[in-house]
Amino acid sequence: MIAEADMEVCRELIRTGSYSLHAASKVLPARVRDPALALYAFCRVADDEVDEVGAPRDKAAAVLKLGDRLEDIYAGRPRNAPSDRAFAAVVEEFEMPRELPEALLEGFAWDAEGRWYHTLSDVQAYSARVAAAVGAMMCVLMRVRNPDALARACDLGLAMQMSNIARDVGEDARAGRLFLPTDWMVEEGVDPQEFLRDPQPTKGIRRVTERLLNRADRLYWRAATGVRLLPFDCRPGILAAGKIYAAIGTEVAKAKFDNITQRAHTTKGRKLWLVANSAMSATAASLLPLSPRVHARPEPEVAHLVDAAAHRNLHPERSEVLISALMALKARDRGLVVDRAS
């Protein structure tokens, strides 16, 4: 059980730190909502601690400390912090496969490395770690281990991360970060280095943004078919999360895909309307035949997450991949020269 004092801190972290998730969580049943908020609070605190430090060396140190915290959580001795204690309770109660939060940690390690993502598959590999892994963990909290449901949850995580990437292109570029597929940029005549030096809403960047959002829309569409595989009282909340994040892309499109001089957002009223609409959509969808798209294979970049959450340990090398990422950061933290992974 999560201590009430720790749970209250988690609720406040999400209420002030993620309006979209806070709105969607309101229509989840309490048995899922509180563990979900504990999960998101831990992810939020971890992300902030890595993201808010300045120098790459400091980011590397933050990721390594996060690895130690995760180790302590799975050893049953969490750090004396509300988010860590709450997540430790979730890990124990729901038998959370360790590969899932480890995937998230690997994504943070990639951030600390300052990786670029050359292809759409590379972007999806990154999105699998920082977002689809959370989608798989949400299924675990609903006590759903069906591989088809897990694959569609990962679709939703990929789509939500792509919406975030599309919204934040300008903000990321001004901070020296780049998450768009660089091969798409080159195809559109945009030099990635030049773009980072002087971010401008050129036609090329707008077309790359539109292309990424089109990919996200296809994933949102397929993800929605998996909602039928979730407990009935969980469906509105998951639909709401998808609709709220998809609305980010709609706002970017309304701005003619200018994500450099402005940052898209949805109003509180719009979020509330989408939450209400999701409740109606969940009921209506239950009356329709199950779409065959629900059985589509998972994207290759999320297959290891699906297998881990379904208790199919088919990827024993995953821990070695994480260890390699952390070793690279540790080497950098000691001042050694390491090649940046492609």
Side-chain angles (χ1 to χ4, degrees), residues 155-317:
D155 283 344
L156 181 58
L158 293 176
M160 291 167 74
Q161 184 62 24
M162 288 178 189
S163 294
N164 279 338
I165 289 171
R167 177 191 60 194
D168 295 340
V169 169
E171 183 178 303
D172 286 332
R174 287 185 286 272
R177 299 188 298 257
L178 185 62
F179 296 98
L180 296 173
T182 56
D183 63 347
W184 289 8
M185 296 175 71
V186 172
E187 286 174 18
E188 295 293 345
V190 179
D191 181 280
Q193 293 279 11
E194 289 293 333
F195 174 71
L196 284 182
R197 279 193 284 269
D198 183 24
Q200 295 295 330
T202 63
K203 289 182 179 179
I205 285 295
R206 292 173 194 247
R207 283 193 292 265
V208 170
T209 299
E210 182 178 12
R211 190 172 171 184
L212 187 65
L213 287 172
N214 286 340
R215 174 59 179 163
D217 284 343
R218 289 193 291 272
L219 289 166
Y220 281 123
W221 179 61
R222 193 170 68 187
T225 66
V227 174
R228 285 278 302 278
L229 301 179
L230 304 178
F232 184 81
D233 56 356
C234 296
R235 297 174 192 175
I238 302 306
L239 278 174
K243 287 177 181 290
I244 289 170
Y245 271 79
I248 293 172
T250 301
E251 294 302 315
V252 173
K254 285 181 181 179
K256 298 181 180 179
F257 303 101
D258 176 4
N259 46 19
I260 309 299
T261 66
Q262 53 192 299
R263 187 176 189 269
H265 69 279
T266 51
T267 65
K268 183 177 180 180
R270 174 72 170 162
K271 289 186 178 77
L272 291 175
W273 184 88
L274 290 170
V275 168
N277 178 264
S278 296
M280 293 184 290
S281 297
T283 301
S286 299
L287 304 176
L288 299 174
L290 190 64
S291 169
R293 292 192 303 275
V294 76
H295 304 301
R297 289 184 178 181
E299 294 294 307
E301 299 83 3
V302 304
H304 64 285
L305 302 175
V306 173
D307 290 336
H311 288 317
R312 299 188 305 196
N313 188 22
L314 305 180
H315 302 269
E317 75 281 3

Side-chain angles (χ1 to χ4, degrees), residues 36-54:
L37 291 178
L39 164 64
Y40 277 102
F42 177 77
C43 295
R44 180 80 191 188
V45 169
D47 186 45
D48 287 347
E49 289 186 2
V50 173
D51 200 40
E52 290 177 1
V53 295

